[in-house]
Amino acid sequence: MTSTIVVNVKKKRITELLAGGKRTDGRGVNDYREIQIESGVIERAEGSARVRLGKTEIIVGVKIGTGTPFPDTPDTGVLTVNAELVPLASPSFEPGPPGEDAVELARVVDRGIRESKAIDLEKLCVESGKLVFVVFVDVYVLNHDGNLIDASAMAALAALVNTKMFKYTVEEGEIVKKPGYTPLPMLDYPIAVTFAKIGNKLILDTGLDEEQVMDARLTITMNKDGNICAIQKGGGSGYFTREEISEATKIAVEKTAELRKVVVKS
Amino acid sequence: MKANKKKPKKEGEKMTSKKSEKLIDKKGIRLDGRKVDELRPVKMEVGVLPNADGSAYLEQGRNKILVGVYGPKEAHPRHIAQQDRAVIQCRYHMAPFSVDERKSPAPSRRDIELSKVIREALEPAVFLEYYPRTSIQVYIEILQADGGTRCAGITTAALALADAGIPMRDLVVACAAGKAGGKIALDLMDTEDKVGEADVPVAFMPNLNAVTLLQMDGNLSVDEFNTAVDMAIGGCKKLYEIQKEALKSKYVSEGVKEE
Amino acid sequence: MPLFYEKKQLVIPGDLLAEGDYVSGDSTYKTDGKIYACRLGLVDYDGKRVHVVALKAFYIPVPGDLVIGNVVETTPGGWVIDIKAPHLARLRASDVVERSFKPETTDLPSIFDVGDLIIAKVVAYDRTRDPQLSVREPGLGKIMRGQLVEVTPTKIPRIIGRQGSMVGMIKRETGCQLTIGQNGLVLISGRSAEDERVAIMALRKIERESHTSGLTDKVTEMIRKERKAVESK
């Protein structure tokens, strides 16, 4: 556990600066850190991407497998998102099965992709009720310097855009690979932006030090039409007022459009 | 203590419609007979478990939810203790028989996430800083699920915390609004939640005007979202009146009458 | 500077009680000049002090309090005592054993063992320290007999009464000895089980009706009626 005395001093400094609209690293309240995206970093994966958001670093690998569809959706492929907070990424991460932070991260990323219908899962059905493709999205946090949600969602989107499906034919109910690839069928490009509340100020793209002192966070995921497809409040024992929520959604409309250009063109 | 007198459709009736358009008819009436801005019938009761320090039971539609609170007491395991405040250990758990297909009693990823967001919805209300190195345990058991269990769980948990005599800034009350059959509607039940277009659960501290839980999945324009949030907060305010009543009637049932 | 509730009105956490130049008392909190309730209970005003008599609250130790607790653990240096507070209390061996105390040879369980009930005084407690107890006064130490009754700690002042009037009356009328722990535990020891039963009834009545006036008379009346009914059988 981080010593609270350090955090108190930090909190004071961060809050004082924010009152004047400034942040410790000189950014404006709605500025993101530098974003670097590399696609296809893992050759053995069907799709992959590495995202660096300042010093936060995430790799997402996409693997395509096969499986049986869920009984209530016999004609659609399956999406599963998993997140690992591997111990090398931060002294506060411990080995072992995913804890609540990892589970929440995975589910927020999952919800953005699923609810925006980013992947055309109906095209991933091989045989109704029997055989479909399964898209495994594995989020791997390599260095934690704050705002894991936005970085992971960007990396997941970049990896999905990068994903290649092998061509195949079906012979006697079995998939036979053919030479050549097609891109994963995509319908939308969801982008998540996470606001942190510190004092009575909202800021975007928190660094780790800001995250340690924030009262609460609010993640808004928007699709390409500027509609909201997922929201998650979390990150501490604070709250948002109704007005702050409206303000955040307004900023999110512009910010997600801006970030989408950065992620999808890569 | 009913929010409204209308009865839901026959218990156990299976709603087979899979098309969202059919969720609300031309007159704006929903599958269970409600209007778009109407809550399901609600019943709340406080102090239902003799062993727990605080407890509450709630029915909302076919949801049946039981919450027990213990503490504050010494934090176990010791390493979870915080030197400057109490911690809330919250477990949202669905009984295996609470849904159509048996649910494994092992915590799912959904359960883990919900336990976390519910805890974070309750934390702003509790004076955690009064009781360093202790823990407050909140056990939420979903006995029967019919959509909106996380909200109903929060509403019930706040009652159980107040019943335990744990100092609170305000009660917390939660309600979802969403989009079903193309319309923004309050307090979605299971079928509307599954087939509908979006769900927006909101938890609210009525006296402090603070939103302590906010999630959404689905697809809403910014305007629709704002309408849904306002409708959900409206639902919270109605539920808050029932919460109040439930707490006060516990006082009366203990044989204490106001002079 | 308005007050929003009448005396003895029922309030719940978050209810706005007063605004302006008032002092926040028990089970209330003050923020931005406004006083809110933080527990379910009855409002009371006492000059400028606004407080809530909570229906239910747990015990928070205060140095000087007499408490009753049970021994849950013996450690090399003493005992761990459950006094129904958020933290377990400690009783140092050195408080009981004279200077020659050696952890390796002194048989602590022969003094107090797990499961023993003790009466003790709180000598220290703050945010950083578990409650410290002492039994170094006459009347403190192991409880050998009697019956333990648990009541809500917020009702203890009412059970004691003004200058001990209520508890004095119960002792007189029932012939029982009552030891009252501020932590909501009351030890009753009488000549017969019947005497103890009546004393417990009296405690329950006080707990239920603690906010009503003329309670001492009402309880006296109840005890007398109860004893008469038994004698006439």
Side-chain angles (χ1 to χ4, degrees):
Chain A
M1 207 27 71
T2 337
S3 164
T4 39
I5 293 165
V6 180
V7 175
N8 285 343
V9 175
K10 249 191 217 170
K11 174 152 190 151
K12 196 157 170 262
R13 178 160 174 75
I14 291 171
T15 322
E16 279 169 3
L17 275 174
L18 263 183
K22 289 204 175 71
R23 294 168 76 168
T24 45
D25 59 1
R27 282 187 286 154
V29 287
N30 294 336
D31 292 347
Y32 271 68
R33 290 167 289 180
E34 191 193 351
I35 301 169
Q36 293 173 17
I37 302 174
E38 281 172 76
S39 292
V41 290
I42 307 288
E43 292 80 6
R44 296 196 87 118
E46 277 82 3
S48 61
R50 183 207 307 266
V51 165
R52 288 194 182 89
L53 181 58
K55 285 183 195 154
T56 288
E57 187 172 338
I58 314 271
I59 281 193
V60 168
V62 176
K63 298 290 288 177
I64 306 284
T66 54
T68 45
F70 290 109
D72 51 343
T73 53
D75 301 317
T76 55
V78 174
L79 166 71
T80 57
V81 179
N82 179 53
E84 296 283 337
L85 304 179
V86 286
L88 58 80
S90 164
S92 63
F93 294 170
E94 280 167 19
E100 59 172 25
D101 290 327
V103 169
E104 186 190 31
L105 175 62
R107 287 178 57 85
V108 172
V109 172
D110 178 292
R111 217 170 283 150
I113 300 169
R114 191 179 301 278
E115 300 297 336
S116 68
K117 301 188 168 57
I119 307 170
D120 191 352
L121 290 172
E122 281 171 23
K123 289 216 174 112
L124 300 183
C125 175
V126 180
E127 194 183 348
S128 176
K130 286 201 177 136
L131 189 61
V132 295
F133 286 108
V134 183
V135 181
F136 294 97
V137 176
D138 280 289
V139 176
Y140 230 62
V141 177
L142 297 183
N143 195 62
H144 176 23
D145 191 33
N147 200 10
L148 293 181
I149 295 178
D150 295 2
S152 301
M154 275 188 240
L157 178 59
L160 288 172
V161 170
N162 172 254
T163 299
K164 292 174 185 71
M165 296 274 302
F166 49 82
K167 291 187 174 166
Y168 66 94
T169 54
V170 181
E171 285 172 20
E172 289 164 14
E174 294 213 6
I175 292 170
V176 180
K177 284 191 190 178
K178 290 203 303 185
Y181 294 94
T182 56
L184 185 70
M186 296 286 287
L187 297 173
D188 209 312
Y189 304 94
I191 293 285
V193 288
T194 299
F195 295 85
K197 179 173 171 174
I198 299 175
N200 54 3
K201 287 271 193 295
L202 296 184
I203 59 172
L204 276 171
D205 186 30
T206 45
L208 189 59
D209 51 351
E210 290 169 329
E211 217 157 279
Q212 280 168 346
V213 305
M214 73 183 171
D215 301 309
R217 65 167 147 74
L218 185 69
T219 303
I220 300 177
T221 310
M222 287 188 156
N223 67 8
K224 62 178 173 6
D225 302 325
N227 282 357
I228 306 169
C229 48
I231 284 184
Q232 179 87 345
K233 181 244 167 195
S237 54
Y239 58 81
F240 290 89
T241 63
R242 178 71 187 85
E243 296 71 35
E244 286 163 346
I245 294 164
S246 289
E247 186 195 332
T249 44
K250 259 185 223 147
I251 299 168
V253 174
E254 287 174 27
K255 210 71 203 180
T256 51
E258 192 183 310
L259 291 173
R260 187 172 296 105
K261 281 181 203 151
V262 177
V263 178
V264 177
K265 79 156 201 246
S266 68
Chain B
M1 270 188 290
K2 294 226 160 155
N4 58 52
K5 294 239 157 60
K6 223 163 263 157
K7 279 221 164 125
K9 282 200 173 175
K10 220 168 47 193
E11 284 275 317
E13 192 179 29
K14 191 105 173 130
M15 314 267 187
T16 45
S17 166
K18 284 277 176 192
K19 284 272 178 318
S20 178
E21 307 89 73
K22 291 186 185 154
L23 291 176
I24 298 180
D25 72 12
K26 281 180 199 116
K27 288 180 192 147
I29 301 298
R30 295 151 74 172
L31 291 179
D32 57 3
R34 285 184 291 155
K35 299 196 207 75
V36 285
D37 60 350
E38 197 175 351
L39 289 169
R40 288 173 283 185
V42 182
K43 206 178 92 180
M44 302 183 197
E45 207 180 321
V46 174
V48 291
L49 298 172
N51 276 348
D53 293 322
S55 61
Y57 174 73
L58 173 144
E59 289 183 10
Q60 186 164 359
R62 291 192 292 165
N63 286 321
K64 295 184 198 297
I65 291 160
L66 192 57
V67 177
V69 166
Y70 288 84
K73 57 184 190 185
E74 305 244 331
H76 283 289
R78 264 235 125 93
H79 68 83
I80 66 157
Q82 296 274 331
Q83 289 306 310
D84 57 346
R85 61 184 173 94
V87 294
I88 294 181
Q89 291 172 284
C90 174
R91 186 177 95 139
Y92 166 97
H93 185 247
M94 294 180 82
F97 46 78
S98 61
V99 280
D100 284 344
E101 206 161 309
R102 180 180 184 270
K103 188 194 171 290
S104 157
S108 66
R109 284 151 55 96
R110 175 180 176 275
D111 296 344
I112 293 169
E113 186 205 341
L114 290 195
S115 300
K116 179 176 192 287
V117 295
I118 292 171
R119 185 190 76 220
E120 289 173 340
L122 297 171
E123 277 175 346
V126 179
F127 283 97
L128 297 172
E129 60 274 31
Y130 286 4
Y131 310 107
R133 298 173 289 120
T134 65
S135 103
I136 297 166
Q137 293 158 343
V138 179
Y139 297 117
I140 301 171
E141 286 294 331
I142 311 299
L143 303 178
Q144 183 166 284
D146 187 28
T149 54
R150 85 192 64 184
C151 287
I154 290 167
T155 305
T156 320
L159 285 176
L161 284 167
D163 180 44
I166 291 170
M168 296 167 84
R169 291 180 176 83
D170 201 348
L171 290 185
V172 185
V173 55
C175 185
K179 190 177 178 186
K183 290 205 173 69
I184 302 299
L186 186 64
D187 188 20
L188 303 189
M189 48 93 165
D190 194 41
T191 313
E192 293 172 327
D193 186 14
K194 286 206 175 96
V195 185
E197 296 94 317
D199 186 35
V200 186
V202 174
F204 191 61
M205 295 199 285
N207 292 294
L208 303 180
N209 184 32
V211 174
T212 66
L213 171 134
L214 179 64
Q215 293 181 292
M216 191 204 114
D217 54 11
N219 186 335
L220 291 179
S221 72
V222 171
D223 286 346
E224 286 172 331
F225 168 73
N226 280 320
T227 311
V229 172
D230 289 336
M231 191 184 264
I233 289 176
C236 287
K237 286 178 179 164
K238 282 184 201 152
L239 288 167
Y240 176 62
E241 294 304 316
I242 305 169
Q243 259 185 331
K244 258 188 189 171
E245 192 101 342
L247 268 180
K248 291 188 175 180
S249 68
K250 143 103 192 224
Y251 209 83
V252 174
S253 74
E254 300 235 322
V256 184
K257 282 169 219 94
E258 286 182 72
E259 276 183 290
Chain C
M1 297 198 301
L3 290 163
F4 297 100
Y5 289 87
E6 307 266 319
K7 258 192 182 193
K8 296 199 171 164
Q9 248 189 305
L10 192 50
V11 294
I12 65 166
D15 278 346
L16 178 59
L17 305 180
E19 204 171 341
D21 186 24
Y22 289 94
V23 179
S24 157
D26 285 350
S27 295
T28 67
Y29 70 100
K30 191 169 189 175
T31 176
D32 296 334
K34 291 174 183 163
I35 294 177
Y36 299 88
C38 69
R39 284 198 176 101
L40 173 67
L42 302 175
V43 192
D44 208 352
Y45 302 106
D46 181 6
K48 286 272 154 205
R49 205 174 79 97
V50 181
H51 65 111
V52 169
V53 181
L55 169 62
K56 199 150 131 195
F58 38 87
Y59 173 64
I60 298 294
V62 175
D65 280 359
L66 196 70
V67 293
I68 296 173
N70 67 313
V71 179
V72 292
E73 198 185 334
T74 46
T75 66
W79 298 270
V80 181
I81 322 282
D82 181 1
I83 56 166
K84 301 200 156 293
H87 298 102
L88 293 170
R90 317 279 152 173
L91 176 63
R92 286 207 190 99
S94 58
D95 188 76
V96 183
V97 188
E98 290 311 323
R99 49 204 155 72
S100 61
F101 162 65
K102 283 198 194 90
E104 14 350 310
T105 53
T106 309
D107 182 21
L108 291 181
S110 72
I111 304 168
F112 300 131
D113 203 357
V114 170
D116 280 351
L117 213 53
I118 63 164
I119 303 176
K121 195 162 237 179
V122 179
V123 290
Y125 177 58
D126 60 39
R127 284 178 66 84
T128 61
R129 209 158 24 149
D130 289 339
Q132 290 289 332
L133 303 181
S134 169
V135 291
R136 281 195 171 199
E137 264 177 52
L140 304 183
K142 198 191 288 197
I143 293 169
M144 306 308 283
R145 59 185 289 267
Q147 218 187 126
L148 206 59
V149 179
E150 202 180 331
V151 296
T152 310
T154 49
K155 305 293 169 68
I156 291 291
R158 207 66 170 106
I159 289 172
I160 295 171
R162 204 161 282 144
Q163 271 118 42
S165 59
M166 184 71 90
V167 65
M169 180 278 291
I170 300 174
K171 283 179 182 170
R172 250 188 343 267
E173 294 290 332
T174 65
C176 291
Q177 278 306 309
L178 267 73
T179 311
I180 298 176
Q182 292 290 338
N183 58 334
L185 291 174
V186 181
L187 183 75
I188 299 175
S189 118
R191 282 181 304 255
S192 70
E194 176 53 29
D195 289 347
E196 291 179 0
R197 186 187 68 85
V198 176
I200 294 169
M201 273 183 75
L203 291 183
R204 293 287 172 236
K205 187 175 174 69
I206 301 166
E207 201 182 9
R208 264 195 322 272
E209 299 176 21
S210 62
H211 62 291
T212 61
S213 44
L215 190 56
T216 316
D217 292 344
K218 281 193 255 176
V219 176
T220 312
E221 195 184 320
M222 188 216 77
I223 294 174
R224 288 184 181 163
K225 223 167 105 190
E226 200 57 35
R227 293 183 72 88
K228 214 180 243 169
V230 171
E231 278 160 25
S232 65
K233 255 180 205 169

